[in-house]
Amino acid sequence: MARITASVYTSHVPAIGAAIDQGKTTEPYWVPLFKGYEYSKQWMQENKPDVIFLVYNDHATAFSLELIPTFAIGTAAEFTPADEGYGPRPVPKVIGHPELASHIAQSVIQDDFDLTIVNKMDVDHGLTVPLSLMCGQPQAWPCPVIPFAVNVVQYPVPSGRRCFMLGQAIRRAIESYDQPLRVQIWGTGGMSHQLQGPRAGLINAAWDNKFLDRLIADPEDLSKVPHIEYVREAGSEGIELVMWLIARGAMADVAGGKPPVVKHRFFHVPASNTAVGHLILENPS
Ligand code: DHB
Ligand code: FE
């Protein structure tokens, strides 16, 4: 059977992608940020999964106000990096895993979560920047990736509670797949940031660090935090953090297993307008 080996959490700031693509990672502004991911790239090489289930949000790139799926699973064989206005990022195309994605769709929908099935979709910085941070600049991404897009852009957005429960359903789906695949689940976006309005530039490092503590130690309690607290404390785009609860809900301890091992924790302020947070949690084997 397939199993979830680890979960990875990281911010997805587009300027990070631009710094990598334009060879600026050694500039003084960027050095401390990329230092925080050196361990992660090494860890990825030593713990290469068979598939990454990548929870992210689309930023009005593949979807628009014409169509707003709350939860969308990418079942295609491949996904092209999107043109977000400056041309597509020079990164490899994303190879999907249609068989596992279809199995997860079947299982999770029968487990009472209504997913939108997407057979054609370009993927924006929400998905490609986390891959770049964790994998560097390879010729091809190290394994197939199942994109899982969550609406955190246009209200109403899903609650942290629902995201946490969805993660549990995703774990049940993966663990009922009849192939011995090692699957990582990634939760991306966040941490505190606000890109527009009078509070543009807001960062709340104290709240973010408390979020990391609670995500590790008591995600069930953290899942009860209402949207309004994310928006008030972490800014309008801080709501992206609910996606981290999907990945955390898929970890073994939530289903009565052992607590995860914290392999890496990193926090850095700022990257562009955003507080960057990053965690790697492993399920004990
Ligand atoms: C920034 C952060 C984001 O999450 C995003 O989607 C776009 C921009 C920023 O900090 O610039
Ligand atoms: Fe974003």
Side-chain angles (χ1 to χ4, degrees):
M1 290 304 204
R3 69 182 197 93
I4 294 174
T5 53
S7 52
V8 172
Y9 309 80
T10 182
S11 308
H12 66 210
V13 183
I16 295 174
I20 295 171
D21 300 341
Q22 294 167 21
K24 293 182 177 167
T25 58
T26 54
E27 288 185 0
Y29 180 84
W30 289 111
V31 166
L33 183 276
F34 288 106
K35 208 164 180 316
Y37 287 85
E38 271 168 24
Y39 172 88
S40 315
K41 283 190 278 190
Q42 188 65 32
W43 177 87
M44 264 309 273
Q45 289 191 355
E46 288 164 8
N47 297 275
K48 196 171 94 63
D50 297 309
V51 184
I52 297 168
F53 188 90
L54 205 159
V55 181
Y56 76 109
N57 70 292
D58 178 78
H59 299 75
T61 306
F63 305 122
S64 70
L65 291 180
E66 290 179 2
L67 178 71
I68 307 166
T70 302
F71 298 118
I73 186 164
T75 43
E78 57 181 62
F79 305 88
T80 305
D83 183 347
E84 298 180 62
Y86 303 90
R89 289 191 60 212
V91 292
K93 69 182 173 197
V94 173
I95 304 300
H97 198 305
E99 235 188 36
L100 178 59
S102 303
H103 168 83
I104 293 171
Q106 158 77 21
S107 173
V108 168
I109 291 170
Q110 289 305 313
D111 214 350
D112 303 337
F113 288 88
D114 306 315
L115 307 185
T116 299
I117 292 165
V118 187
N119 289 317
K120 185 169 170 26
M121 171 167 74
D122 288 352
V123 285
D124 74 9
H125 68 271
L127 183 130
T128 62
V129 168
L131 281 173
S132 295
L133 278 168
M134 295 299 294
C135 309
Q137 294 177 289
Q139 286 299 309
W141 299 122
C143 66
V145 175
I146 298 175
F148 190 88
V150 180
N151 169 40
V152 287
V153 169
Q154 178 61 42
Y155 281 79
V157 302
S159 66
R161 183 96 198 122
R162 185 148 178 82
C163 289
F164 189 59
M165 288 164 61
L166 173 60
Q168 295 169 54
I170 291 167
R171 187 192 57 78
R172 288 191 288 271
I174 290 171
E175 293 192 345
S176 64
Y177 186 65
D178 188 15
Q179 298 278 331
L181 299 179
R182 294 159 46 89
V183 181
Q184 288 179 8
I185 181 163
W186 294 12
T188 65
M191 299 195 84
S192 57
H193 61 306
Q194 170 142 350
L195 300 177
Q196 65 270 303
R199 297 201 309 161
L202 176 144
I203 279 177
N204 187 344
W207 190 89
D208 287 336
N209 277 288
K210 196 90 189 108
F211 183 94
L212 294 173
D213 294 341
R214 295 173 78 187
L215 189 75
I216 294 166
D218 195 356
E220 164 90 49
D221 189 49
L222 180 62
S223 76
K224 295 173 191 154
V225 169
H227 317 121
I228 192 69
E229 182 176 330
Y230 287 90
V231 175
R232 188 176 57 227
E233 299 294 334
S236 51
E237 278 65 47
I239 191 65
E240 289 179 344
L241 282 169
V242 293
M243 295 186 288
W244 294 31
L245 284 162
I246 297 179
R248 187 65 182 87
M251 293 299 280
D253 62 328
V254 179
K258 290 194 190 132
V261 179
V262 182
K263 298 299 286 187
H264 188 50
R265 175 172 174 162
F266 176 65
F267 182 77
H268 174 75
V269 170
S272 185
N273 298 292
T274 300
V276 170
H278 174 39
L279 282 177
I280 300 176
L281 304 184
E282 271 180 13
N283 275 329
S285 46

